[in-house]
Amino acid sequence: MSEDYRKMWSDLGIDLTAHDALLGVLGKGYQDIFLSQKNRPAGMSYFDFVMSEVHGLRIRELLNEKEAGRKIIGAYCVFVPEEIVKAADATLVGLCAGADFATDEVEKLLPRNTCALIKSAFGFKIGKVCPYIEATDMVVGENTCDGKKKSYEILNDLLPNLYIMDLPQMKTAEGKALLKAEYIRFKKAVEELTGVTIDAARLKKGIELVNKKRAAMHRLAGLRKADPAPISGLDALLANQVFFYDDVPRFTDSVNRICDELELRIKKDEGVFPKGAPRILISGCPMAVPNWKLPWIIETSGAVIVGEESCVGERGTRNLTDDSGTTVDSMIDAIVDRYFKVDCAIFTPNRDRLDHIIEMAKTYKADGVIHYGLQFCQPYITESMGVEKELQAKGIPVMRIDTDYSMEDVGQLKTRVEAFVEMIKR
Ligand code: BJ8
């Protein structure tokens, strides 16, 4: 990294020594896990570049946007509507983190039995190693699981610009009305922050922009139905992760370019794994960068991941927003309709998620499902039991894995995954 970036990080208040250590581990992990894969699509070089510059060039771009008067909004959840952010010419960035950092300090503020995703978000803030959070003008915390909801009360003392969004827990008319009221309140907050009045034309543009990005992800997901799989699950996960950071039109074009390449591969019957390799659907908690542990274990055990039933995956990107509205109110309704379908495990009851897992297993011709729960994540680990029962009843092999961000259980997980892969071999 250039000296220029070091000055930029230091101006943002980043702890350079800790940050150097983090980038060192990240770079090594990326090299070992991603760059060691065979026969990757050439288009992945774009994502390699993005990852190599994830704390460099992308942060410089965000700071340039700020200098030009635009605002940066951070979020921890896919319920924060990017359409509204884009309508105000602002930029939304994901802030969830997938690595343990400053855990001793974090555990002075949060109970030890808090999930790794929340602890990691705190660790990156307390350890001063996340230029994204330091570049934000507003951070949105949402009332989803109890862990997040209560931890935001504490995060509020660390972040001067934290905005709390309330969310429903039931898919009822009242729940939908709450979501609409909260999106209207969020729109007002974004307008106040940016000084931009979000009119119908702006909102329409925001919807179109985000729809195109999601449509590109649908195209990518559809191509993963092929056997042999034209792209690894690791690389597809990377695209799903970069989805939360990159410039929207540039990301959309890059994914579509990869899709063009994958279509050619499919025509030639080319893939990253041999035809007939066991196909796995991952379902469960989101995997934020650099949480690549389980996918890496699976794909070095002879299986290929063909889909992610996850917020960093299809749960987050599944539906488009109807863009036919002509008034702000009708478009807000369309946005509410779209997000109200997100079947996060914080909802009760949550039958839709079960149906989606079964549907995805069929669509992507999965030979088995691995349910991924982060330790201490009550919503997903509790649901995982019902998921297991339902899939077993349908004759779909399933394995539940509860883990965290540490590498201590890699050997044990590898043994379990290898046994599962052996069992589902066709
Ligand atoms: S819409 S999945 S992004 S809340 S892993 S913090 S649930 S204890 S991340 Fe999520 Fe929004 Fe739902 Fe999606 Fe809590 Fe579980 Fe931790 Fe989690």
Side-chain angles (χ1 to χ4, degrees), residues 94-225:
L95 295 176
C96 291
D100 294 327
F101 208 85
T103 307
D104 290 347
E105 291 306 305
V106 174
E107 288 178 355
K108 289 179 190 159
L109 297 176
L110 294 174
R112 290 192 69 188
N113 58 351
T114 301
C115 87
L117 196 139
I118 298 172
K119 277 193 198 168
S120 163
F122 269 64
F124 274 53
K125 174 63 194 160
I126 296 170
K128 299 187 189 135
V129 290
C130 178
Y132 286 92
I133 198 160
E134 305 307 335
T136 53
D137 299 289
M138 178 201 259
V139 173
V140 185
E142 42 13 272
N143 290 343
T144 45
C145 64
D146 284 354
K148 275 181 160 181
K149 192 165 59 191
K150 298 308 286 181
S151 69
Y152 293 142
E153 292 173 9
I154 299 160
L155 193 62
N156 197 33
D157 296 335
L158 308 174
L159 279 178
N161 52 5
L162 186 65
Y163 171 97
I164 298 296
M165 177 183 280
D166 201 11
L167 287 182
Q169 309 257 302
M170 293 179 79
K171 302 270 175 93
T172 55
E174 291 79 8
K176 201 169 191 180
L178 169 62
L179 190 64
K180 182 171 179 185
E182 281 298 295
Y183 282 0
I184 291 171
R185 189 170 71 88
F186 179 62
K187 174 177 160 288
K188 280 198 195 114
V190 172
E191 286 176 328
E192 268 166 32
L193 179 77
T194 58
V196 172
T197 303
I198 300 175
D199 59 17
R202 282 182 163 276
L203 196 50
K204 200 174 192 69
K205 256 199 199 151
I207 291 174
E208 284 169 359
L209 206 61
V210 181
N211 272 349
K212 279 188 190 154
K213 172 162 91 156
R214 294 205 182 104
M217 294 310 287
H218 296 176
R219 191 175 163 212
L220 176 64
L223 296 169
R224 295 169 74 194
K225 292 177 199 163

Side-chain angles (χ1 to χ4, degrees), residues 301-320:
S301 300
V304 57
I305 298 163
V306 291
E308 298 78 22
E309 189 282 315
S310 158
C311 281
V312 183
E314 201 154 317
R315 189 185 320 121
T317 56
R318 182 174 287 119
N319 299 298
L320 301 186

Side-chain angles (χ1 to χ4, degrees), residues 77-79 115 118 144-145 148 285-286 311 315 344 374 377 380:
C77 178
V78 297
F79 267 100
C115 87
I118 298 172
T144 45
C145 64
K148 275 181 160 181
C285 292
C311 281
R315 189 185 320 121
C344 171
L374 267 179
C377 171
Y380 281 92

Side-chain angles (χ1 to χ4, degrees), residues 403-423:
T403 182
D404 57 16
Y405 290 171
S406 81
M407 298 306 268
E408 280 163 21
D409 59 355
V410 165
Q412 187 207 357
L413 290 182
K414 181 110 177 105
T415 308
R416 287 185 62 201
V417 167
E418 280 171 355
F420 185 69
V421 169
E422 200 50 45
M423 184 188 88

